[in-house]
Amino acid sequence: MSELRKRKPSSTNTPSTSSAPKPPPPIPSDSESIISESEPAPVPASKQKTKQKSDKTQETGGAKKWSCVDSCCWLIGVICTVWWVLLFSYNAMPASIPQYVTEAIAGPMPDPPGVKLHKEGLKAKHPVVFVPGIVTGGLELWEGHQCAEGLFRKRLWGGTFGEVYKRPLCWVEHMSMDNETGLDPPGIRVRPVTGLVAADYFAPGYFVWAVLIANLARIGYEEKNMYMAAYDWRISFQNTEVRDQTLSRIKSNIELMVSTNGGKKVVVIPHSMGVLYFLHFMKWVEAPAPMGGGGGPDWCAKHIKALINIGGPFLGVPKAVAGLFSAEAKDVAVARSIAPGVLDSDFLGQTTLRHVMRMTRTWDATMSLIPKGGDTIWGGLDWSPEEGSVCPPDKEDYSNGINYGRMISFGKDIAEAPATEIDQIDFRDAEKGDNIAHSNGSCGDTWTEYHEMGWRGIKAVADYKVYTAGSLVDLLSFVAPKMMRRGSAHYSYGIADDLDDPKYQHYKYWSNPLETKLPNAPEMEIFSLYGVGLPTERAYVYKLAQSAECYIPFQIDTSVNNGTCLKDGVYLVNGDETVPVLSAGFMCAKGWNGKTRFNPAGIKTYIREYVHAPPSNLLEGRGTQSGAHVDIMGNFALIEDVIRIAAGATGDEIGGNQVHTDIFKWSERIKLKL
């Protein structure tokens, strides 16, 4: 065997003596290849240093790699940057440029209703009172704990919501009410913002009342004849008087507006839950003190010209049940199904929902939105008023075979099974126990009443299989007894047999139109204005969560779908995305229509429905023909109707009823003694 020679490594200290390129290394012989494979070739010093750094990097866990979180942060940063640049450009350019661009794309814009009616010669006449709904009124801090230092008189609700991101747990603590009294927790005072600014915008750029106020101003209205009846929408209606004397302030302001405007009666415009709040007010103001305002039986007749209800949930909303039962609605359930890995995390998943549940279950006002009238109004196991109706937005998809009366079903098979085949095990007397967590354990600050139910209580709820409106109050009383004990002291959800029974003089009945009489004000008019043509939550398919420890044990089953009537575990009907047509329209269509036991004075009632039409382009913002629950406040047709009434027109003069749904047909299916 020939002698094998090892190649010497080149010296790193010997400088190059020539700039000419070096000749290529000789091709090794077979024996040299063997040596090269058995003994690695020497590595230059520069590469040795690089290798040492690489080894050290591997020892310390490796260099940081680009992750999904980095991509999300980068994307959010880009979106925010582009948004702020566009927003700055939009506000910096002359007002005529955006208008020119909009008209170039969509054609000439119609005059706003205020401008149009001003040209017709309409002028301000009746003073106007706005009554905001739930969550749309601003709330500010007057006293708080140490974590809220520096927030005196800063908005905790409405505005930029900056404190939600800066100190979320502190925010939840200050937005929550006392779980025993339903009033302020010790050391905390959060109060409603006053004036028109209380609810003109919910957040920067997101109007609520601002468009309507601006159009009223076009015909001569100003703050002296417009009043925002702001109240703390978290606490029960009667407690707004107990704590803040809000009902007394509304009474005094209306009396002042009437006396300073030549005796002209006010036009009251409640929105959403504000509709129920003002129903409560009308009973309170005429009831004798100390429970009522002592205004006498003719106060409303002397002071109110018209009551224009916008998006009124007269009979409650199924959406409130889902919120109280599992801190969900359709949007939350869909978000969980789209990104289960994210929403089931401790940061954005059930921990967040349990904090939300803990907070919202202390808001007694939300219980005013629980469906009223039981199975008589909403349907039972084998019928519902809206059966066979069209499921928007598809005008050819009918709800044949769908029983909307089953508001909560555990499984699609239960939702569709014949009533005779459903074997229900009564949950009302079921024992609770075998706790799924302990308050001093890992669940800690996000304690909910589900933890006190235990596995046996949770199983009993699921074994009942299906819940109608008649059993919802019992269900909520079982899963949240502390919340419902407070709620049952302030609200009622039934139908009165005898409205002359003295028990109905109690304030707990005053916000339920099925358990009260309208005031003796035959010259007053009542309008129900609401949007239609949007899919609206009506009933739900639920499932048990896979793991119930430190979790809300019930979830909407988003895997269940069937056309446009059943999407993501939610049965949908016609409405404004929040309030079904049945709730918004029934009282004016039947319950109060003509002289009835609920309307003994025969107050005239009108229904005005507005078919939803999306904005034709992005420059239209939220649109001028929207029928959505909040966006309808910018609907030009609705605003025109409101202004005409405020300027003195009657219901007949604006066209009477304007109906696009089968609300009268559905109302006839409801067998209610009138």
Side-chain angles (χ1 to χ4, degrees), residues 299-313:
W299 190 94
C300 291
K302 290 179 178 178
H303 294 88
I304 302 176
K305 185 261 185 188
L307 180 59
I308 308 175
N309 303 288
I310 302 177

Side-chain angles (χ1 to χ4, degrees), residues 72-92:
C72 290
C73 292
W74 179 85
L75 180 61
I76 292 171
V78 170
I79 293 173
C80 290
T81 302
V82 172
W83 169 256
W84 284 112
V85 168
L86 292 175
L87 187 63
F88 174 79
S89 302
Y90 182 84
N91 287 283

Side-chain angles (χ1 to χ4, degrees), residues 7 37 46 71 138 235 262 280 315 335 383 457 467 501 517 550-551 555-556 588 599 644 671:
R7 296 169 58 192
E37 291 175 2
S46 58
S71 300
I235 62 180
H280 182 96
L315 302 178
W383 81 280
Y467 296 84
D501 190 324
K517 297 178 184 179
C550 290
Y551 279 69
Q555 293 180 359
I556 297 173
C588 286
N599 181 16
R644 289 187 183 277
K671 305 307 178 185

Side-chain angles (χ1 to χ4, degrees), residues 318-599:
K319 199 171 187 176
V321 176
L324 293 171
F325 184 55
S326 61
E328 284 183 296
K330 182 176 181 292
D331 297 338
V332 174
V334 170
R336 181 190 287 115
S337 67
I338 293 174
V342 175
L343 292 179
D344 289 338
S345 68
D346 289 338
F347 176 60
L348 290 174
Q350 294 285 13
T351 295
T352 299
L353 291 182
R354 282 186 288 114
H355 278 301
V356 169
M357 174 176 281
R358 184 189 68 166
M359 177 176 67
T360 55
R361 280 190 175 181
T362 67
W363 295 350
D364 290 353
T366 60
M367 286 178 276
S368 70
L369 298 171
I370 294 174
K372 304 172 179 68
D375 295 0
T376 301
I377 299 294
W378 296 93
L381 288 177
D382 53 4
W383 81 280
S384 59
E386 307 102 318
E387 186 174 357
S389 60
V390 175
C391 300
D394 189 343
K395 296 183 179 180
E396 297 182 358
D397 193 358
Y398 290 85
S399 58
N400 296 317
I402 294 178
N403 188 350
Y404 291 114
R406 304 179 188 185
M407 283 200 177
I408 291 180
S409 303
F410 278 88
K412 185 184 178 186
D413 55 335
I414 298 297
E416 297 176 347
T420 55
E421 297 181 7
I422 301 176
D423 183 20
Q424 294 178 289
I425 302 175
D426 199 348
F427 65 93
R428 294 171 180 86
D429 298 322
E431 293 185 5
K432 299 179 181 181
D434 299 329
N435 286 351
I436 57 178
H438 298 284
S439 60
N440 58 355
S442 58
C443 296
D445 293 336
T446 53
W447 186 257
T448 68
E449 291 186 81
Y450 280 126
H451 302 105
E452 297 173 3
M453 287 177 57
W455 288 111
R456 281 184 289 179
I458 292 170
K459 185 176 183 298
V461 170
D463 286 344
Y464 194 69
K465 297 184 175 64
V466 60
Y467 296 84
T468 64
S471 55
L472 286 178
V473 174
D474 290 337
L475 169 64
L476 293 174
S477 297
F478 186 80
V479 302
K482 194 174 291 186
M483 174 189 76
M484 291 304 290
R485 275 195 298 270
R486 297 193 319 272
S488 62
H490 290 275
Y491 305 106
S492 181
Y493 311 100
I495 300 174
D497 293 323
D498 180 10
L499 286 168
D500 293 323
D501 190 324
K503 77 174 186 179
Y504 292 110
Q505 296 174 9
H506 192 274
Y507 59 76
K508 67 182 288 185
Y509 301 102
W510 291 349
S511 61
N512 182 356
L514 300 173
E515 294 180 306
T516 55
K517 297 178 184 179
L518 288 175
N520 184 23
E523 295 181 359
M524 189 170 81
E525 293 182 319
I526 296 180
F527 299 82
S528 184
L529 280 52
Y530 54 89
V532 298
L534 287 166
T536 304
E537 298 173 37
R538 178 65 164 81
Y540 304 88
V541 178
Y542 268 87
K543 65 179 180 179
L544 283 175
Q546 292 182 352
S547 174
E549 183 167 357
C550 290
Y551 279 69
I552 297 171
F554 308 113
Q555 293 180 359
I556 297 173
D557 190 352
T558 55
S559 66
V560 178
N561 290 277
N562 185 12
T564 57
C565 295
L566 174 58
K567 295 190 69 175
D568 303 310
V570 180
Y571 285 100
L572 303 166
V573 291
N574 204 339
D576 66 1
E577 286 187 321
T578 297
V579 183
V581 169
L582 184 67
S583 181
F586 173 79
M587 290 309 298
C588 286
K590 184 173 183 177
W592 292 334
N593 193 3
K595 277 194 176 185
T596 69
R597 65 191 184 105
F598 305 106
N599 181 16

Side-chain angles (χ1 to χ4, degrees), residues 208-279:
V208 182
W209 294 92
V211 177
L212 177 56
I213 291 171
N215 278 277
L216 283 166
R218 294 281 191 172
I219 67 165
Y221 279 93
E222 51 188 294
E223 200 149 11
K224 70 179 181 181
N225 51 12
M226 289 192 291
Y227 165 59
M228 183 70 71
Y231 61 98
D232 191 335
W233 44 262
R234 299 171 302 162
I235 62 180
S236 71
F237 299 161
Q238 190 69 8
N239 274 342
T240 63
E241 174 65 16
V242 171
R243 194 193 71 179
D244 301 333
Q245 294 75 55
T246 302
L247 299 175
S248 295
R249 295 173 191 273
I250 295 174
K251 175 177 179 284
S252 298
N253 275 283
I254 290 177
E255 292 171 345
L256 178 64
M257 294 174 80
V258 171
S259 64
T260 57
N261 283 274
K264 297 182 182 68
K265 300 176 188 179
V266 300
V267 169
V268 183
I269 311 173
H271 173 244
S272 190
M273 193 183 75
V275 169
L276 303 180
Y277 186 71
F278 199 77
L279 283 180

